Amino acid sequence: MKEIVENPLHLKSVNHISLVCTSVVKSINFYQNVLGFFPIRRPGSFDFDGAWLFGYGIGIHLLQLEEPNVIPRKKEINPKDNHISFQCESMVAVEKKLEEMEMEYVRATVEEGGIKVDQLFFHDPDGFMIEICNCDSLPVIPLGGDMVRSCSRVNLQMLQHRQIHQIVKQDSTKIQNAIV
């Protein structure tokens, strides 16, 4: 197995995803009123239509297609397709809200080691798939070692802190051994 290089590009977090859309107005409405993102200021130097939204620590950049009829819209909801996933507090509340909004969705369940994760998949106005899940209950287990309790940012930061502490400890042990 190839050796893992810790954060070779010195990344900090996901900043945004960009999505092409046939109607910026419809997409803003979806991301704001269905998912709870809010519009933010976009640089005025752009010479194309679009919008920026922010929520849950991530930005969504909407890019208006010049020829909206060119984009093939996906009709079938396929959980194995490209998507962005959001954790939620209550799957029951999400499903109820989707039904109230008369949004088509597909339900799925993942089970690992006796832990069940419920998933709901649906499309934005242009066919980009959204997943809502209670995946915080599924542990994130790096192939190289320690277990993180969940995929929340706090737990990931704790794992990274522990890994850094172990590296520092190993380095200081090497230095002490070299001195002796």
Side-chain angles (χ1 to χ4, degrees), residues 64-78:
Q64 176 69 50
L65 278 174
E66 288 181 23
E67 296 181 39
N69 298 329
V70 174
I71 189 170
R73 288 192 178 178
K74 294 183 180 182
K75 305 238 187 268
E76 180 185 340
I77 300 172
N78 178 0

Side-chain angles (χ1 to χ4, degrees), residues 35-140:
L35 296 180
F37 281 77
F38 58 91
I40 60 172
R41 192 169 165 272
R42 179 175 174 256
S45 61
F46 287 141
D47 62 354
F48 56 91
D49 196 18
W52 285 11
L53 298 106
F54 188 81
Y56 318 105
I58 187 171
I60 293 183
H61 294 184
L62 302 173
L63 309 170
Q64 176 69 50
L65 278 174
E66 288 181 23
E67 296 181 39
N69 298 329
V70 174
I71 189 170
R73 288 192 178 178
K74 294 183 180 182
K75 305 238 187 268
E76 180 185 340
I77 300 172
N78 178 0
K80 296 178 195 165
D81 203 347
N82 295 328
H83 63 273
I84 185 170
S85 178
F86 296 95
Q87 297 178 103
C88 71
E89 295 176 11
S90 168
M91 291 298 290
V92 172
V94 170
E95 191 165 12
K96 181 180 176 190
K97 191 67 176 173
L98 291 175
E99 288 173 4
E100 286 174 9
M101 292 186 286
E102 299 180 352
M103 291 194 60
E104 183 181 344
Y105 63 91
V106 169
R107 186 183 311 160
T109 303
V110 174
E111 186 173 350
E112 178 67 27
I115 299 170
K116 287 187 178 181
V117 172
D118 297 310
Q119 303 165 294
L120 297 172
F121 294 90
F122 53 95
H123 287 150
D124 78 356
D126 292 298
F128 184 77
M129 190 149 48
I130 308 296
E131 173 191 0
I132 307 292
C133 68
N134 58 355
C135 55
D136 209 24
S137 60
L138 189 64
V140 175

